[in-house]
Amino acid sequence: MDPDVVEIASPSTASGSRTWKNTKIRVRNVFRVSSKAFANGAVPMDLEDYAMFQAMLNSQDIPTDVEVVMTPDVVMVPSPPPSRPYKFDNADASSSSRPLVAPEVVSSAQAKFLRDFKRFHTVDDFSDHHYASQSNASKQHAKDWAKRVQSDWKILENDLPETIFVRACESRMDLLRAVIIGAEGTPYHDGLFFFDIKFSDTYPFAPPEVHYHAGGLSINPNLYECGHVCLSLLGTWDGDARESWIPNESTILQLLVSIQALILNQKPYFNEPGYETTEGTQEGEAQSETYSEEVFISSLKTMVYSMRKPLEHFEEFVRSHYFVRAHDIVKSCNAYKDGAPVGWMVQETSKSGSKRFRVDLGCYMKTVVDEFVKLGVKEL
């Protein structure tokens, strides 16, 4: 038996169409990822499967800072940070740290648009796509290639989380566009982050290409101002071989969730190579907080950039998103100006933001508010 594999006798109870047998659990260290979601080929397991597997793990002496992977038919993918999907009924407002959504926003045409906006849908044209001019639109791909791409489409249609939206093009099956909503508790909260994706001719034996619409702004060590995305899954980052693209297992859903969980995370400072060794130290955490403040300012600039130049097929989505969330964003900014640290609404803390951050934020808030007013937002 391999030294990093632990044999666990699992129950023989059947769950759905799958019967559990003795299963090897592979254990390895993981940096900066505190939670994982189990997936069967990147499709989330049902609750019975998860509960059964969790019961197996509870009886084992496994450290809390390791990743547990079930093989061969279950693949681990990172779960995204807690995010706030589009829900407007305020039913759980008493238990939430988020500001209440105003009644006029709940009943607005923009809120209705967001409720009806499909997470996955196909479009007719992608003329402004980053990769639109890099291959022949009339090129005929092999049947196996088309079948695999359509399989990815189906997974996205069925299993996208509530904070990721994707558009595919029927006339250009090699192109996708995705937008990820920044998660609460991160310096990216309430922002929209767009990615253009291209399937290569050899997909899935080679990972897709991904371009981030940065607008010339730096918001993360793994997202360059030019749009380059650094991620082991894409082969653009020298990570563990087991984190690389696996042709028969990796999916576009896994890629998007990885970007949300591993890149757009709570402490992006530690994404910089070598900086992870300072996580948990006084100096490292102080540098991380300063970096998150800078990232939040850049995230606000990204919001303005998106509102002024919304990408094709997401124009109304962008306008509606910021119309609905404008009051929350402004209230968060005011809280930060009063000294609250970035992400304070998710976790109580005695820390406070820096004076420089509060000054810079106050200077840029007028630009953000002006854009919200152009959308028709009132009483900011």
Side-chain angles (χ1 to χ4, degrees):
M1 182 181 295
D2 295 338
D4 63 342
V5 175
V6 180
E7 188 80 22
I8 296 180
S10 55
S12 58
T13 306
S15 176
S17 61
R18 181 163 62 248
T19 300
W20 294 89
K21 300 178 181 179
N22 286 353
T23 307
K24 290 182 178 180
I25 306 299
R26 185 174 299 276
V27 179
R28 64 182 175 83
N29 290 329
V30 174
F31 296 103
R32 301 187 305 278
V33 183
S34 59
S35 62
K36 294 282 181 175
F38 297 99
N40 185 12
V43 179
M45 296 170 68
D46 59 43
L47 293 178
E48 290 184 6
D49 285 350
Y50 181 87
M52 186 180 299
F53 189 55
Q54 187 62 53
M56 293 159 50
L57 295 182
N58 287 342
S59 64
Q60 307 301 314
D61 185 17
I62 298 176
T64 58
D65 62 341
V66 300
E67 177 185 16
V68 182
V69 180
M70 178 177 286
T71 57
D73 66 335
V74 176
V75 180
M76 297 291 290
V77 296
S79 59
S83 299
R84 184 166 60 98
Y86 293 115
K87 295 180 180 178
F88 306 98
D89 56 9
N90 289 329
D92 59 349
S94 60
S95 61
S96 173
S97 57
R98 299 291 308 190
L100 291 175
V101 179
E104 60 270 21
V105 173
V106 174
S107 59
S108 67
Q110 291 86 344
K112 182 180 185 304
F113 175 86
L114 293 175
R115 284 193 291 265
D116 296 339
F117 194 76
K118 294 182 179 180
R119 289 179 222 166
F120 178 86
H121 197 55
T122 56
V123 297
D124 296 328
D125 177 65
F126 255 146
S127 58
D128 72 337
H129 195 283
H130 179 75
Y131 298 105
S133 62
Q134 292 194 11
S135 61
N136 189 345
S138 61
K139 180 176 181 178
Q140 296 295 318
H141 291 280
K143 289 184 178 180
D144 288 346
W145 181 93
K147 184 177 180 180
R148 173 55 197 264
V149 170
Q150 289 173 336
S151 175
D152 270 293
W153 285 10
K154 193 66 176 178
I155 292 172
L156 293 171
E157 184 177 16
N158 292 334
D159 299 304
L160 274 172
E162 294 179 310
T163 51
I164 300 179
F165 298 81
V166 175
R167 292 296 176 263
C169 186
E170 292 184 338
S171 62
R172 288 294 304 271
M173 288 183 64
D174 57 327
L175 304 181
L176 289 175
R177 171 165 290 163
V179 59
I180 298 175
I181 302 175
E184 292 185 37
T186 74
Y188 307 102
H189 67 77
D190 296 305
L192 296 176
F193 304 93
F194 285 89
F195 299 85
D196 281 355
I197 300 169
K198 181 181 184 297
F199 297 107
S200 67
D201 292 341
T202 58
Y203 184 80
F205 300 101
E209 297 177 58
V210 180
H211 173 83
Y212 166 60
H213 285 272
L217 297 168
S218 176
I219 65 166
N220 191 285
N222 295 78
L223 300 175
Y224 292 13
E225 294 94 327
C226 64
H228 181 72
V229 179
C230 285
L231 192 66
S232 299
L233 199 59
L234 295 173
T236 54
W237 182 261
D238 294 330
D240 192 300
R242 289 169 292 186
E243 298 172 355
S244 301
W245 183 267
I246 303 174
N248 294 325
E249 296 179 4
S250 301
T251 66
I252 297 299
L253 175 62
Q254 180 185 357
L255 169 64
L256 293 174
V257 173
S258 294
I259 291 174
Q260 186 178 46
L262 301 179
I263 295 181
L264 301 174
N265 59 30
Q266 185 178 12
K267 297 181 179 181
Y269 173 80
F270 297 114
N271 283 15
E272 188 69 40
Y275 287 10
E276 72 275 3
T277 60
T278 67
E279 187 170 8
T281 67
Q282 184 175 359
E283 180 181 358
E285 294 298 327
Q287 293 289 345
S288 174
E289 291 165 12
T290 299
Y291 183 75
S292 289
E293 292 174 348
E294 296 171 356
V295 166
F296 182 71
I297 297 292
S298 294
S299 182
L300 290 179
K301 293 179 180 179
T302 301
M303 294 180 190
V304 172
Y305 171 77
S306 297
M307 285 185 278
R308 290 177 177 175
K309 295 183 178 181
L311 294 176
E312 191 175 14
H313 306 300
F314 286 93
E315 297 93 339
E316 189 58 37
F317 176 85
V318 170
R319 288 189 285 266
S320 297
H321 170 87
Y322 287 119
F323 178 90
V324 167
R325 298 208 177 185
H327 286 93
D328 282 1
I329 294 169
V330 171
K331 288 178 181 178
S332 295
C333 289
N334 286 332
Y336 298 156
K337 283 173 58 181
D338 290 339
V342 173
W344 73 280
M345 287 186 172
V346 169
Q347 184 176 359
E348 293 295 332
T349 177
S350 59
K351 298 178 181 179
S352 61
S354 68
K355 181 178 180 180
R356 177 181 175 181
F357 169 61
R358 297 197 294 271
V359 171
D360 291 345
L361 180 58
C363 292
Y364 196 71
M365 269 192 68
K366 184 180 185 304
T367 301
V368 179
V369 170
D370 286 346
E371 292 301 319
F372 290 158
V373 171
K374 291 178 184 178
L375 297 179
V377 182
K378 300 178 180 179
E379 299 180 4
L380 288 170

